[in-house]
Amino acid sequence: MAKKNINEMSFLDHLEDLRWHLIRIVVAVVITATAAFFAKSFIFDFLIFGPAKSNFVTYKILCDLAQNFGMSDSFCFEELPFQIQSRTMAGQFSAHIWTAILAGFVIAFPYILYELWKFISPALHENERKHSRGFIIIASILFFIGVLFGYYIICPLSINFLGSYQVSSQVHNDFDLDSYIGLVRSSVLASGLVFELPILIYFLTKIGLVTPEFLRKYRKYALILVLVVSAIITPPDIASQIIVAIPILILYEVSIYISRIVIRNQRRNEKKHA
């Protein structure tokens, strides 16, 4: 049966269409999560626990930089002073399941965007769809860059600081498995979603909620917000916050440029139809 034109679809028809898109998204995540479930050694030993090892690439780079510039050698160590433990019967199995689901979501992210785009795109004009064909590719690239940034920058900075922090030499750090994985998960996902800022600004500009003038006017407030976000998702030291704040500020400036392009194209189209 042929799919109805969007103008002929009722509210219930739209809900039914959305339901099938969501079902396909869930199926894609389940398939990729199943593959991740069976790749347990790679997911946990190499990826999840990678930032907890002294030979992690970020620590090596920061250690070399610190030695070359005569800075603190806090990133030069043989072993991080903490242990990871599971204190519940189903702790490790539960961590395995939820980590596989997270990995499935990350791997399937381009397809998730594709299904959401298929649901949204019929409501756009033909020229809007034409100018937005690279949406899935660009949004996916930004998301994966954010995920890598979270994994290679935020995770090791946080793990090194929090894992080495002590209020007293009498207190030894033994972290629960869920707590450790939760830090890795939040760092990776938060960074991936934050890097979608240019895409968000693009759509907010398209519907008239944001303008380049608005973004420039409130740039100083955005700077404060970025520093607050950096303080939340990183350890409470200035160097880590600056490292995280810099790419977010760059994304904000890119978003202003994108918003300006959208407004310029809208005005050009209005002149053509005037």
Side-chain angles (χ1 to χ4, degrees):
M1 184 176 177
K3 188 175 180 179
K4 293 182 181 179
N5 185 284
I6 188 170
N7 296 320
E8 300 173 350
M9 294 175 67
S10 66
F11 178 72
L12 292 178
D13 289 331
H14 284 293
L15 285 181
E16 177 67 13
D17 189 36
L18 176 61
R19 185 173 74 91
W20 281 107
H21 286 295
L22 293 177
I23 288 174
R24 286 191 287 270
I25 287 174
V26 170
V27 170
V29 172
V30 168
I31 291 173
T32 50
T34 301
F37 183 86
F38 288 106
K40 181 175 67 172
S41 296
F42 174 77
I43 294 292
F44 282 91
D45 295 337
F46 182 76
L47 292 180
I48 298 296
F49 296 125
K53 299 174 182 177
S54 61
N55 61 352
F56 191 64
V57 62
T58 304
Y59 299 137
K60 289 183 176 180
I61 293 173
L62 291 176
C63 178
D64 291 341
L65 288 175
Q67 291 177 339
N68 291 334
F69 290 97
M71 299 165 60
S72 171
D73 59 353
S74 60
F75 291 99
C76 303
F77 49 83
E78 294 295 327
E79 185 179 5
L80 282 167
F82 66 85
Q83 296 291 325
I84 301 171
Q85 60 183 346
S86 177
R87 296 180 297 170
T88 59
M89 287 294 291
Q92 295 196 53
F93 182 71
S94 177
H96 190 186
I97 293 289
W98 286 107
T99 301
I101 292 173
L102 170 65
F105 173 82
V106 172
I107 296 169
F109 189 77
Y111 182 78
I112 293 172
L113 288 179
Y114 170 72
E115 286 294 338
L116 294 176
W117 180 248
K118 281 179 65 178
F119 176 72
I120 296 171
S121 60
L124 301 177
H125 297 296
E126 179 60 33
N127 62 327
E128 291 177 328
R129 286 198 295 270
K130 181 178 66 175
H131 289 106
S132 304
R133 284 174 183 168
F135 161 74
I136 298 172
I137 296 174
I138 295 172
S140 298
I141 290 174
L142 287 173
F143 177 77
F144 288 127
I145 291 175
V147 165
L148 292 174
F149 180 79
Y151 180 73
Y152 285 104
I153 303 297
I154 297 179
C155 274
L157 289 176
S158 301
I159 291 170
N160 178 63
F161 177 84
L162 297 174
S164 305
Y165 189 83
Q166 287 182 297
V167 295
S168 169
S169 59
Q170 300 181 49
V171 182
H172 181 69
N173 285 330
D174 285 323
F175 299 128
D176 191 72
L177 178 63
D178 287 340
S179 176
Y180 176 85
I181 293 179
L183 186 148
V184 176
R185 179 177 61 243
S186 60
S187 299
V188 168
L189 282 183
S191 298
L193 296 177
V194 165
F195 272 63
E196 294 294 319
L197 178 62
I199 301 298
L200 176 63
I201 294 299
Y202 172 84
F203 283 106
L204 291 178
T205 305
K206 292 288 288 184
I207 62 179
L209 292 179
V210 166
T211 64
E213 292 77 17
F214 175 86
L215 295 173
R216 282 193 291 265
K217 179 180 177 180
Y218 292 98
R219 183 189 274 118
K220 58 183 178 181
Y221 300 107
L223 173 60
I224 295 173
L225 181 61
V226 166
L227 293 176
V228 170
V229 171
S230 301
I232 292 173
I233 64 178
T234 60
D237 66 273
I238 300 300
S240 299
Q241 293 174 19
I242 292 175
I243 290 173
V244 173
I246 288 174
I248 300 177
L249 290 174
I250 293 173
L251 287 171
Y252 188 83
E253 294 301 322
V254 170
S255 299
I256 295 176
Y257 177 72
I258 290 172
S259 182
R260 187 165 66 241
I261 291 176
V262 172
I263 294 295
R264 186 177 62 195
N265 290 338
Q266 287 179 339
R267 290 172 179 171
R268 186 180 301 163
N269 291 332
E270 288 174 359
K271 288 181 180 179
K272 286 182 180 180
H273 295 91

